[in-house]
Amino acid sequence: MGAPKKSAAAAAAARVSDDPEELARVPLQAVLLADSFTTKFRPITLERPKVLLPLVNVPMIEYTLAWLESAGVEEVFVFCCAHAKQVINYLESSQWFSQPKFSVTTIESHNSVSAGDALRFIYERNVIHGDFILISGDTVSNMSLTRVLQEHKERRKKDSNAVMTMVIKRSKLSPVTQQSRLGTDELFMAIDPDTKQLLYYEENTNHLKATLSLDKMLLIDNSSIRLHNDMQDCFIDICSPEVLSLFTDNFDYQHLRRHFVKGLLVDDIMGYKIYTHEIHSSYAARVDNYRAYDTISKDIIQRWTYPLVPDVLLLGNSTTKLERVGMYRASEIVQSRSAQIGPLTVIGTGTRIGDNTKISNSVIGKGCDIGSNVLIEGCHIWDNVTIEDGCQLRHSIVCDGVVMKSGAVLSPGVVLSFKVVIGQNFTAPAYSKVSLLPQPIKQDSDEELEYADNNSDVETSCAPDNMNGELTSELSEIQGSATSELGCGGVGYIWSICEGASEEEWRHSIAPISAEKLAELTQTTDDDLEFSNQDGNAPASSGELRSDALSDSEDDDEDTKNDSAYFEKEVEATFLRAVHENVQVDHVILEVNSLKLSCNMEFSACAGAIFYSMMKLALETPHKTTDELSRAVLNIFNSWHRLLKSYLSGKDEEIEVILKFEEMCSESAKELSPLFTQILHHLYDKELISEDAILGWEFEKQGAEESDRVFVRQAENFLQWLKEASEED
Amino acid sequence: MHPAVYKVGLHYLSGDISGGNARCIAMLQAFQEVIKDYSTPPEKTLSRDLTAKISSYVSFFTECRPLSVSMGNAIRFLKSRIAKLPLTMSESEAKTTLQSDIDHFINEKIIVADKVIVSHAVTKIRDGDVLLTYGSSSAVEMILQRAHELGKQFRVVLVDSRPKLEGQLLLRRLVAKGISCTYTHINAISYIMHEATRVFLGASAVLSNGTVYSRVGTACVAMVAHAFDVPVLVCCEAYKFHERVQLDSICSNELGDPHAIANVPGREQLNFLDGCAKSDNLQLLNLIYDVMPSDYVSMIITDYGMVPPTSVPVIVREYRREHLWM
């Protein structure tokens, strides 16, 4: 928060500068980003910009522009980047350029890779003169801007540092998946309940994390704070012109939320403030991922977005009629009598539907040809798609010009990009994405990396523009190579799901989350502890041992078990690193010591863990016979005995090591069991383990069950020899 | 005043317990508590004194909210059981007999009866049906859930009305069960009736001329259904049958809070009739029940089977006799 004096002065200055501005009324302006700067809609967005993707048969940008017009915006600057030509061509052919009192201007840039770049570019053009609305071209809303603009203006008069007002809406998270119905992650916001100032903004992408840390200064500076995790960010911002200059000043701001909003919240020197405006009954949402696409489509069909609904939002000259149970039918549809067209379905002009076909909860575009006995459930089928007899489609997106040969099946979550051909009786696996374009080799493993490798991003997204011509010639080539991938006669590449994302694929997919996944998640949240325990595959130390070493903390048994597994893993990693990078023994000792402190472990645990990692290393070195294995073990002991020695300060630790060894031999590393005595002897020779400890171990085992005494018996000769030796002394 | 009775009475008053069955069960359970804690005062007989006590409690309940037919029948049953107790019976024996009688009544006449009704009614639901219901009836809810469990493919149209909007709670439960629902208000009944293939309604009472006495609005739904030739199935346990005859809903009804219909749900501070609500020449009428003539009723589903409304007098007669035997 800025000093009161300063803000008062600033407010006074603002008032002076405001007056002439009010005299010369500035038309209400909006900046529409016609590029999402993400890759979430790939592979579709490789061929067509996201804002032109049809949402209930109408390109998304239409919704945004229609709303802006109805909300009283007079000038819109459409910022185009990827596929700029397509966006401009579309707008030129649409009615938007010829509207009275509503001017649409396109701004084209080819080297912007983020929203930050876009805003800097717009700032350079010097076209924004007053408060403006910043949205992306994939927003669907029917809210009225009057109140929020008024609030924003009033706040600005009082305090010129109030640069932005964010629109938010209540939306409950699913308790199981921790995501909203739009598929977005949990969002934490701290808002001052009186002034509605935004104080904290954090997206929680880690679904298992249950903690949130707030700066305590927030509580000192503000008399009251309301923390929300039930708010959805609508991505509709009312910004003052300062926002643009802020982006220019901070050239590293890229992402609107992650950098800009957080940057302003953290920065207390400039004292800029962000406010929120909650909407209750009106609709506002952004198509951020496939799940949001599906949800928003349903909302549109169910008329939550009125007047932006299919029968009101006219596009071209086709009229759509609303019938009972949420059926929208355009004109010139040829439909068989026996076809069952279920609830909440939209069917576009000139579509033909064959006998006994069942369609429910779906959107079908213009000029589609659907054969007989087809089952379509919860799908989004775009224009000019051919679906032959007997196909089954569930919860998928099928882009323009796709051909599905008879009997093909789409499992839930499939995305078929433009002009793909699915072969006869081929079953596309769940969540697969199919495109005519091969998957870029340098695939962003994470959808967050929108600027990390921005150069390749721009290249690939520009490529299809030039490629369109070559595409047909390439088709035949692809046909040869990809037949096997998509069945007989199929054309296209199945994109492999990248490693990290495959886990999360279901979260953002178009398909509803399956019952098994939900059950699994409930299970996970229920026994989180046990789950993570199974996860760490390091063997837990034997019960006897633990009670020995940690007798005082038996209450939190479960906890310590976890801790020790974690500790063992860490030590192992440290040790392996030391071996591979030739770290000096002293340094390793230092590292293990610090690990010991951080995990609150005893020396005996360290010794056990180090021994365990040594043996594991020996096992991992390639060996054929037990002889070679024993040699490997000896080698490791020779080079690292100092490390182990430094933790073997007493008899207890030594016994621990033997017990650990025994446990390994009997459980995780059976290969070692024949070598038990040999290695034990070696440890004795190296003076790592004293005679006392070995005898102590035998003594401890005396009362144990026969099965536990296998190794004692194996080592009988050695023990005998030890005893005799001591007697001789 | 016994605390259990007091508690239940206050629940009636605040509307926490509503619906014929729920109110009846709550009352009977309160009486069970009363009987458990009862001891005959000296120089009095149990049957006389307990009857008097129960009567005083009943008048308290009536003050909280007028009795429903179901409650009236249950009270009559209890009083006749008390009167029939042999004089020779010891007090503790009498008390346990009465308590088990009440348990029997609840179990037999309400819980098992509902199960029987459900088993009858689900046979009337076919795949592809669109079932329309009004308000929130416990019997109808059980029927819908059972049919859903049996895997029948049907859709529910839930019609609701202000000011109580009881249907919303039912809607929530049905949607949570995964039944596909359409929710609308009674203003749209003539539009939505096109889609319906059957109407399932609950009832507060069935009178001996076949008239169904139920939540206000039910008659309207039935009338529209009749006009559209959609069968109207009324689900009602036989203990709610009454020998009274009633021709309109004004001669005997219950009045709710008149201000409830002036308020706008969800927005406490807003009132459409602000200012003129206290005017002398305005009367707000918030009726709770209405009667539906037997013409509109295709069938009444009771624990004695599915009967036409003309057979109600027979059941009332038979039921009485059985009553006496119990």
mmCIF file of all heavy atoms in Angstrom, chain A residues 542-564:
data_model
loop_
_atom_site.group_PDB
_atom_site.id
_atom_site.type_symbol
_atom_site.label_atom_id
_atom_site.label_comp_id
_atom_site.label_asym_id
_atom_site.label_seq_id
_atom_site.Cartn_x
_atom_site.Cartn_y
_atom_site.Cartn_z
ATOM 1 N N SER A 542 12.655 -52.889 9.042
ATOM 2 C CA SER A 542 11.884 -53.898 9.772
ATOM 3 C C SER A 542 11.344 -53.328 11.070
ATOM 4 O O SER A 542 11.907 -52.417 11.651
ATOM 5 C CB SER A 542 12.768 -55.093 10.083
ATOM 6 O OG SER A 542 13.630 -54.748 11.136
ATOM 7 N N GLY A 543 10.245 -53.906 11.491
ATOM 8 C CA GLY A 543 9.554 -53.382 12.663
ATOM 9 C C GLY A 543 10.436 -53.370 13.891
ATOM 10 O O GLY A 543 10.500 -52.398 14.629
ATOM 11 N N GLU A 544 11.167 -54.436 14.055
ATOM 12 C CA GLU A 544 12.009 -54.584 15.235
ATOM 13 C C GLU A 544 13.005 -53.433 15.315
ATOM 14 O O GLU A 544 13.187 -52.806 16.347
ATOM 15 C CB GLU A 544 12.754 -55.901 15.114
ATOM 16 C CG GLU A 544 13.362 -56.384 16.401
ATOM 17 C CD GLU A 544 14.174 -57.640 16.123
ATOM 18 O OE1 GLU A 544 13.979 -58.262 15.054
ATOM 19 O OE2 GLU A 544 15.015 -57.957 16.963
ATOM 20 N N LEU A 545 13.586 -53.211 14.143
ATOM 21 C CA LEU A 545 14.601 -52.195 14.037
ATOM 22 C C LEU A 545 14.086 -50.831 14.432
ATOM 23 O O LEU A 545 14.694 -50.115 15.211
ATOM 24 C CB LEU A 545 15.006 -52.122 12.568
ATOM 25 C CG LEU A 545 16.472 -52.297 12.281
ATOM 26 C CD1 LEU A 545 16.650 -52.243 10.805
ATOM 27 C CD2 LEU A 545 17.247 -51.236 12.992
ATOM 28 N N ARG A 546 12.936 -50.525 13.880
ATOM 29 C CA ARG A 546 12.432 -49.192 14.074
ATOM 30 C C ARG A 546 12.118 -48.933 15.528
ATOM 31 O O ARG A 546 12.436 -47.908 16.076
ATOM 32 C CB ARG A 546 11.188 -48.974 13.212
ATOM 33 C CG ARG A 546 11.115 -47.577 12.691
ATOM 34 C CD ARG A 546 9.932 -47.417 11.798
ATOM 35 N NE ARG A 546 8.752 -47.896 12.453
ATOM 36 C CZ ARG A 546 7.998 -48.863 11.984
ATOM 37 N NH1 ARG A 546 8.304 -49.442 10.878
ATOM 38 N NH2 ARG A 546 6.925 -49.237 12.635
ATOM 39 N N SER A 547 11.523 -49.936 16.130
ATOM 40 C CA SER A 547 11.174 -49.733 17.532
ATOM 41 C C SER A 547 12.455 -49.567 18.338
ATOM 42 O O SER A 547 12.468 -48.912 19.365
ATOM 43 C CB SER A 547 10.352 -50.898 18.045
ATOM 44 O OG SER A 547 11.076 -52.080 17.844
ATOM 45 N N ASP A 548 13.527 -50.180 17.867
ATOM 46 C CA ASP A 548 14.795 -50.046 18.545
ATOM 47 C C ASP A 548 15.304 -48.614 18.456
ATOM 48 O O ASP A 548 15.679 -47.990 19.446
ATOM 49 C CB ASP A 548 15.806 -50.969 17.859
ATOM 50 C CG ASP A 548 16.713 -51.608 18.875
ATOM 51 O OD1 ASP A 548 16.672 -51.176 20.043
ATOM 52 O OD2 ASP A 548 17.457 -52.500 18.489
ATOM 53 N N ALA A 549 15.304 -48.133 17.219
ATOM 54 C CA ALA A 549 15.931 -46.846 16.966
ATOM 55 C C ALA A 549 15.042 -45.691 17.385
ATOM 56 O O ALA A 549 15.528 -44.673 17.859
ATOM 57 C CB ALA A 549 16.258 -46.712 15.498
ATOM 58 N N LEU A 550 13.764 -45.847 17.212
ATOM 59 C CA LEU A 550 12.875 -44.705 17.418
ATOM 60 C C LEU A 550 11.812 -45.024 18.457
ATOM 61 O O LEU A 550 10.640 -44.769 18.264
ATOM 62 C CB LEU A 550 12.181 -44.336 16.106
ATOM 63 C CG LEU A 550 13.096 -44.087 14.915
ATOM 64 C CD1 LEU A 550 12.311 -44.247 13.645
ATOM 65 C CD2 LEU A 550 13.719 -42.731 15.017
ATOM 66 N N SER A 551 12.259 -45.632 19.510
ATOM 67 C CA SER A 551 11.291 -46.114 20.489
ATOM 68 C C SER A 551 10.448 -44.984 21.064
ATOM 69 O O SER A 551 9.331 -45.196 21.504
ATOM 70 C CB SER A 551 12.014 -46.841 21.616
ATOM 71 O OG SER A 551 13.031 -46.001 22.107
ATOM 72 N N ASP A 552 10.986 -43.799 21.038
ATOM 73 C CA ASP A 552 10.250 -42.709 21.691
ATOM 74 C C ASP A 552 9.134 -42.152 20.813
ATOM 75 O O ASP A 552 8.275 -41.436 21.294
ATOM 76 C CB ASP A 552 11.226 -41.586 22.084
ATOM 77 C CG ASP A 552 12.055 -41.149 20.895
ATOM 78 O OD1 ASP A 552 12.217 -41.978 19.976
ATOM 79 O OD2 ASP A 552 12.527 -40.007 20.889
ATOM 80 N N SER A 553 9.173 -42.473 19.559
ATOM 81 C CA SER A 553 8.177 -41.829 18.691
ATOM 82 C C SER A 553 7.279 -42.862 18.023
ATOM 83 O O SER A 553 6.994 -42.793 16.852
ATOM 84 C CB SER A 553 8.878 -40.978 17.644
ATOM 85 O OG SER A 553 9.782 -41.799 16.944
ATOM 86 N N GLU A 554 6.866 -43.824 18.792
ATOM 87 C CA GLU A 554 6.066 -44.885 18.198
ATOM 88 C C GLU A 554 4.645 -44.441 17.878
ATOM 89 O O GLU A 554 3.963 -45.083 17.098
ATOM 90 C CB GLU A 554 6.028 -46.107 19.113
ATOM 91 C CG GLU A 554 7.034 -47.146 18.677
ATOM 92 C CD GLU A 554 6.982 -48.356 19.559
ATOM 93 O OE1 GLU A 554 6.882 -48.200 20.780
ATOM 94 O OE2 GLU A 554 7.030 -49.447 19.020
ATOM 95 N N ASP A 555 4.233 -43.362 18.509
ATOM 96 C CA ASP A 555 2.856 -42.906 18.298
ATOM 97 C C ASP A 555 2.624 -42.552 16.830
ATOM 98 O O ASP A 555 1.667 -42.998 16.212
ATOM 99 C CB ASP A 555 2.563 -41.657 19.150
ATOM 100 C CG ASP A 555 2.854 -41.932 20.596
ATOM 101 O OD1 ASP A 555 2.867 -43.127 20.955
ATOM 102 O OD2 ASP A 555 3.075 -40.960 21.344
ATOM 103 N N ASP A 556 3.526 -41.765 16.320
ATOM 104 C CA ASP A 556 3.340 -41.371 14.924
ATOM 105 C C ASP A 556 4.086 -42.332 14.012
ATOM 106 O O ASP A 556 4.931 -41.978 13.227
ATOM 107 C CB ASP A 556 3.784 -39.927 14.690
ATOM 108 C CG ASP A 556 5.064 -39.599 15.411
ATOM 109 O OD1 ASP A 556 5.653 -40.521 16.025
ATOM 110 O OD2 ASP A 556 5.485 -38.452 15.366
ATOM 111 N N ASP A 557 3.725 -43.573 14.192
ATOM 112 C CA ASP A 557 4.336 -44.673 13.475
ATOM 113 C C ASP A 557 4.317 -44.424 11.977
ATOM 114 O O ASP A 557 5.337 -44.473 11.299
ATOM 115 C CB ASP A 557 3.520 -45.914 13.787
ATOM 116 C CG ASP A 557 4.376 -47.146 13.718
ATOM 117 O OD1 ASP A 557 5.581 -47.023 14.010
ATOM 118 O OD2 ASP A 557 3.841 -48.196 13.371
ATOM 119 N N GLU A 558 3.125 -44.116 11.521
ATOM 120 C CA GLU A 558 2.889 -43.963 10.091
ATOM 121 C C GLU A 558 3.806 -42.883 9.530
ATOM 122 O O GLU A 558 4.422 -43.038 8.495
ATOM 123 C CB GLU A 558 1.429 -43.564 9.894
ATOM 124 C CG GLU A 558 0.926 -43.784 8.519
ATOM 125 C CD GLU A 558 0.824 -45.264 8.170
ATOM 126 O OE1 GLU A 558 1.200 -46.127 8.996
ATOM 127 O OE2 GLU A 558 0.401 -45.547 7.074
ATOM 128 N N ASP A 559 3.884 -41.812 10.290
ATOM 129 C CA ASP A 559 4.671 -40.669 9.873
ATOM 130 C C ASP A 559 6.141 -41.016 9.730
ATOM 131 O O ASP A 559 6.758 -40.710 8.721
ATOM 132 C CB ASP A 559 4.532 -39.557 10.922
ATOM 133 C CG ASP A 559 3.789 -38.393 10.343
ATOM 134 O OD1 ASP A 559 3.299 -38.536 9.204
ATOM 135 O OD2 ASP A 559 3.709 -37.366 11.028
ATOM 136 N N THR A 560 6.658 -41.656 10.755
ATOM 137 C CA THR A 560 8.080 -41.954 10.755
ATOM 138 C C THR A 560 8.403 -42.923 9.641
ATOM 139 O O THR A 560 9.462 -42.860 9.043
ATOM 140 C CB THR A 560 8.517 -42.561 12.089
ATOM 141 O OG1 THR A 560 7.542 -43.513 12.455
ATOM 142 C CG2 THR A 560 8.659 -41.506 13.148
ATOM 143 N N LYS A 561 7.475 -43.810 9.378
ATOM 144 C CA LYS A 561 7.691 -44.783 8.318
ATOM 145 C C LYS A 561 7.897 -44.042 6.994
ATOM 146 O O LYS A 561 8.816 -44.333 6.235
ATOM 147 C CB LYS A 561 6.470 -45.685 8.228
ATOM 148 C CG LYS A 561 6.775 -47.047 7.672
ATOM 149 C CD LYS A 561 5.576 -47.933 7.894
ATOM 150 C CE LYS A 561 5.728 -49.253 7.170
ATOM 151 N NZ LYS A 561 4.516 -50.050 7.282
ATOM 152 N N ASN A 562 7.022 -43.074 6.803
ATOM 153 C CA ASN A 562 7.126 -42.239 5.614
ATOM 154 C C ASN A 562 8.459 -41.529 5.558
ATOM 155 O O ASN A 562 9.137 -41.527 4.545
ATOM 156 C CB ASN A 562 6.057 -41.153 5.660
ATOM 157 C CG ASN A 562 4.929 -41.527 4.755
ATOM 158 O OD1 ASN A 562 5.115 -42.374 3.892
ATOM 159 N ND2 ASN A 562 3.802 -40.913 4.953
ATOM 160 N N ASP A 563 8.767 -40.922 6.704
ATOM 161 C CA ASP A 563 9.985 -40.134 6.786
ATOM 162 C C ASP A 563 11.192 -40.982 6.462
ATOM 163 O O ASP A 563 12.061 -40.576 5.694
ATOM 164 C CB ASP A 563 10.141 -39.555 8.196
ATOM 165 C CG ASP A 563 9.364 -38.278 8.337
ATOM 166 O OD1 ASP A 563 8.809 -37.847 7.304
ATOM 167 O OD2 ASP A 563 9.318 -37.742 9.447
ATOM 168 N N SER A 564 11.235 -42.161 7.053
ATOM 169 C CA SER A 564 12.438 -42.952 6.888
ATOM 170 C C SER A 564 12.557 -43.435 5.444
ATOM 171 O O SER A 564 13.660 -43.503 4.916
ATOM 172 C CB SER A 564 12.455 -44.120 7.868
ATOM 173 O OG SER A 564 11.393 -44.973 7.600
#
